[in-house]
Amino acid sequence: MPASQEVSARKVLRAPVGTRDVLWPESRRWEALVATFARRARLAGYGLLLTPVLEDAGLFRRAVGDESEVLRKEMYELTDRGGRTLALRPEGTAPVVRAFVQHHPPVPWKVWYVTPAFRYERPQAGRYRQHHQVGAEALGSDDPDLDVEVIALAAGFYAELGLQGIDLSLGSMGCAADRPAYVRALREHLTERREMLCEEHRDRFELNPLRVLDCKRPQCLAVTTDAPKMLDFLDEPCVTHLGRVRQGLDALGIAYRIDARLVRGLDYYTRTTFEFAAVSLESAQNAVGGGGRYDTLAEAIGGPPTAGIGFGIGIERLLLACDAEGCFAASPCAPEVFVVDVTGGAAARDLSAELRAAGFAALRAYDDRSIKAQLKLADRSRAHYAVIVGPREIEDQTVTVRSLREGKQTTVRREELAEWLRREPLD
Ligand code: HAM
């Protein structure tokens, strides 16, 4: 092997820039977070949907829009060995709508998902190249009550995690009937101020002026502060829709503020848009969830006209917000029992299998360690009880149960151990 290759073979490989491993016990929070979301989604009638992480790149081109940042700069595209252009999903909605169009399930079709999403962004705290989302989508109805239901699902989830500082912004992107007039007015406003825009948008704003509203650079912010507002251009049905959503949120006691600038970074939105921001996080990365309606998306990707609405919540950011607020800590994951076997290991093998079958979390040591070493491991595992098996216990068909918290010890008949553990309160 040439010397240069030898060196690289020995180099420690790391996860790619902007991605991270989630190790145990941190992953316990992920488990609990997803379980909490799954339960709330199920209560509201949403079923789990799994779709491939790879999709035809054309799906996102049509759904997310060629002019969005996600498409122009961030999507991971690859050509497979069969010459197909595929993309690692940058977001979760387009695949759901693709699955809907492909399988035409009965409507309303309400699904939830948990998924990695890939965006080639500049990595920093709260911004990753692979992040994860839990999300929900409801297809087949443009009833404003569905908008309220979807927003309430997200809001209730944040509350159940214990988060208090979550602000909800609500807007409307209008529809095919009222948006063109707005886009014309915005284009005019921007054209008159072209020289003041940031370099990128000076050249591109004509392709999709709405993207300038999403630009965080001070030059664009200055130009858009007094730009025409979509909310002033909404037609009657869109005004009524927004009014019904507001009424519903008020009725459910969900606080929000109207944000006339809320355009969101993806191009498929119509009517309702919303975003949840964590006040405890830095403003550049404080969006812990967002979503909206996409009543023309199914059609845009070749399906029948079908209204839809949903949201995605960034798990990493959500956990950062929980850290900042000191809520939703990892619950300790102490096993109930640690089997200490000083007869060679067979008893530990059999007893831990029996206890697990009876529903107890049971650990054991390996490699025939000394009793001292095994008890040390039992202590470190924070188990409630050490169940000790020595030659005498084998002879008597018993086990010695030692409470690792209180130090008390007792002898229990082996066949009664599971029953005994069930009766004994776990300290
Ligand atoms: P999004 O706003 O692009 O919407 O992403 C949803 C959430 O994912 C964000 O609010 C944020 O919490 C998290 N997120 C996005 N990018 C990153 C990143 N690079 N690093 C860490 N977290 C990130 C969507 O993706 C839409 N599919 C939401 C939706 C569902 N709209 C309708 N239905």
Side-chain angles (χ1 to χ4, degrees):
M1 188 190 288
S4 58
Q5 268 186 32
E6 209 176 309
V7 172
S8 68
R10 269 200 246 118
K11 203 175 127 194
V12 177
L13 291 174
R14 305 181 65 86
V17 174
T19 70
R20 52 196 285 274
D21 303 312
V22 182
L23 269 59
W24 185 87
E26 191 201 340
S27 56
R28 298 256 314 164
R29 291 172 96 196
W30 286 65
E31 252 183 278
L33 184 147
V34 174
T36 304
F37 188 80
R39 191 180 54 79
R40 296 196 79 90
R42 185 164 38 76
L43 291 177
Y46 293 71
L48 175 65
L49 174 72
L50 306 169
T51 60
V53 89
L54 282 170
E55 293 274 359
D56 191 319
L59 168 67
F60 299 108
R61 219 168 281 293
R62 283 200 257 168
V64 173
D66 274 334
E67 273 311 299
S68 66
E69 293 253 304
V70 168
L71 227 288
R72 283 201 304 122
K73 302 183 190 161
E74 298 170 359
M75 195 159 82
Y76 280 86
E77 273 191 50
L78 59 105
T79 309
D80 75 3
R81 285 164 202 264
R84 299 172 196 85
T85 310
L86 302 174
L88 289 176
R89 64 163 61 158
E91 60 98 50
T93 308
V96 171
V97 180
R98 196 265 312 136
F100 172 81
V101 170
Q102 183 174 338
H103 303 287
H104 32 83
V107 294
W109 195 52
K110 306 206 299 186
V111 299
W112 73 273
Y113 50 85
V114 50
T115 180
F118 304 86
R119 298 182 188 179
Y120 192 81
E121 304 203 68
R122 201 159 56 79
Q124 51 201 291
R127 191 172 290 281
Y128 310 98
R129 291 189 175 162
Q130 175 178 340
H131 72 277
H132 297 78
Q133 293 185 16
V134 284
E137 314 286 345
L139 283 107
S141 167
D142 66 356
D143 187 330
D145 278 359
L146 199 49
D147 306 34
V148 177
E149 175 182 296
V150 157
I151 294 173
L153 175 58
F157 172 58
Y158 296 125
E160 185 167 343
L161 299 189
L163 286 164
Q164 295 184 335
I166 302 289
D167 283 349
L168 167 61
S169 305
L170 182 70
S172 175
M173 291 298 294
C175 63
D178 51 24
R179 188 144 1 131
Y182 172 62
V183 171
R184 253 194 322 276
L186 181 61
R187 189 177 277 126
E188 246 165 58
H189 177 90
L190 298 177
T191 306
E192 282 160 19
R193 295 160 183 79
R194 172 192 287 269
E195 294 313 314
M196 295 160 66
L197 293 172
C198 77
E199 206 174 314
E200 180 184 347
H201 286 114
R202 209 176 301 152
D203 297 335
R204 305 191 65 88
F205 77 89
E206 275 162 354
L207 295 167
N208 184 352
L210 291 169
R211 292 275 64 89
V212 183
L213 296 177
D214 216 21
C215 179
K216 303 284 182 292
R217 295 190 192 98
Q219 305 95 303
C220 285
L221 280 175
V223 171
T224 51
T225 312
D226 60 347
K229 299 191 168 37
M230 181 70 233
L231 293 183
D232 297 328
F233 285 74
L234 296 182
D235 67 1
E236 187 53 37
C238 287
V239 170
T240 308
H241 188 95
L242 182 59
R244 291 270 307 278
V245 175
R246 298 185 63 169
Q247 262 172 26
L249 294 177
D250 293 341
L252 298 192
I254 297 173
Y256 62 89
R257 83 186 165 80
I258 291 288
D259 182 352
R261 293 177 55 103
L262 188 61
V263 278
R264 312 238 332 111
L266 308 158
D267 282 350
Y268 48 61
Y269 291 109
T270 52
R271 291 194 169 170
T272 311
T273 48
F274 56 91
E275 211 154 80
F276 293 94
V279 294
S280 58
L281 298 182
E282 274 215 22
S283 64
Q285 267 80 241
N286 69 354
V288 289
R293 274 207 163 274
Y294 42 84
D295 292 346
T296 53
L297 178 52
E299 225 178 329
I301 65 167
T306 311
I309 179 161
F311 63 80
I313 290 175
I315 296 182
E316 288 86 352
R317 278 197 205 165
L318 194 55
L319 289 174
L320 287 174
C322 289
D323 291 341
E325 285 200 29
C327 64
F328 198 64
S331 55
C333 47
E336 279 127 336
V337 171
F338 196 105
V339 181
V340 173
D341 176 4
V342 283
T343 67
R349 178 194 64 207
D350 300 346
L351 195 51
S352 52
E354 272 169 41
L355 288 170
R356 289 169 194 159
F360 294 98
L363 297 190
R364 54 161 296 192
Y366 305 95
D367 305 321
D368 202 11
R369 304 282 187 93
S370 69
I371 184 163
K372 195 168 155 217
Q374 291 189 54
L375 283 169
K376 206 160 152 193
L377 287 171
D379 262 330
R380 208 188 294 156
S381 78
R382 309 180 40 140
H384 294 271
Y385 297 106
V387 171
I388 305 164
V389 188
R392 186 179 54 79
E393 283 86 354
I394 299 267
E395 174 94 30
D396 300 351
Q397 299 274 305
T398 58
V399 292
T400 299
V401 182
R402 181 185 297 177
S403 159
L404 291 171
R405 310 280 154 91
E406 294 169 357
K408 282 190 294 194
Q409 204 160 285
T410 179
T411 302
V412 178
R413 291 201 61 71
R414 181 170 165 161
E415 77 228 29
E416 288 165 7
L417 177 60
E419 208 34 59
W420 185 91
L421 286 168
R422 222 164 261 132
R423 272 200 318 269
E424 239 10 64
L426 291 178
D427 38 30

